[in-house]
Amino acid sequence: MSIENWSGRILYDVALAVERIAASRAAIDAVDPSAMLVGRHKNFRTLDMNVGDSIARAVAYSNAGADILFVPLILDHGAVAELLEAIAPKPVNVVVHRYDDTIRAFAEMGVRRCSVGASLAKAA
C-alpha cells in the first residue's frame, strides 16, 4: 500500500519502504560496506501526517540500515530535537529555507547537514 502526497507522488507504506531500505543495505554491504545509505522521506508533504509519524518512519528507516536520515520538511526546532534523539547517534539532514541563525541553531542541536533545496533558485 502507498499514500499519495500533495504533489500526486507516492509515499510507500512504511513496511514496504523499510523492506526496500533493508534490501538496499544488503546490496550495498555485499559490494562496499563503506558506502552510505540515506533514508529520505517526505512525510510532511503527505496529507494528515504528523511529526510523530514522520519521526517513527525515520526510526524505522534507521533500524532497517539507513546511515543518515533526511526528513526535509521538519523545521520546528522541537521536532528536530525529537528526531535527533530518536535516531541518535546517526546523523540527521534537514532542509532550511532561511539563511540566518537557524542554520547555526540546527548545528548546535546536532544536525549534521542542512540542505537548501530549491530555495536559492527561488530567491534568485
Side-chain angles (χ1 to χ4, degrees):
M1 181 180 173
S2 55
I3 303 164
E4 188 170 324
N5 69 15
W6 63 271
S7 65
R9 295 189 178 131
I10 300 299
L11 180 68
Y12 290 116
D13 177 72
V14 174
L16 177 57
V18 165
E19 182 180 313
R20 291 168 56 96
I21 288 177
S24 297
R25 174 83 275 153
I28 289 168
D29 288 347
V31 175
D32 182 2
S34 68
M36 182 177 290
L37 176 59
V38 177
R40 176 187 172 139
H41 72 82
K42 295 183 176 185
N43 240 13
F44 277 100
R45 290 188 179 185
T46 305
L47 301 175
D48 301 325
M49 292 284 178
N50 60 40
V51 172
D53 292 339
S54 188
I55 292 171
R57 183 177 282 260
V59 169
Y61 287 8
S62 176
N63 292 339
D67 297 304
I68 183 171
L69 286 300
F70 185 21
V71 187
L73 296 175
I74 288 185
L75 297 174
D76 175 77
H77 288 220
V80 171
E82 286 179 49
L83 175 62
L84 288 163
E85 184 177 338
I87 60 122
K90 292 187 178 179
V92 169
N93 181 169
V94 297
V95 171
V96 294
H97 299 282
R98 292 189 312 258
Y99 312 104
D100 54 15
D101 289 339
T102 301
I103 294 172
R104 177 173 288 136
F106 281 145
E108 289 171 356
M109 293 171 62
V111 170
R112 299 287 298 276
R113 181 172 186 254
C114 291
S115 299
V116 297
S119 60
L120 287 178
K122 289 178 185 175

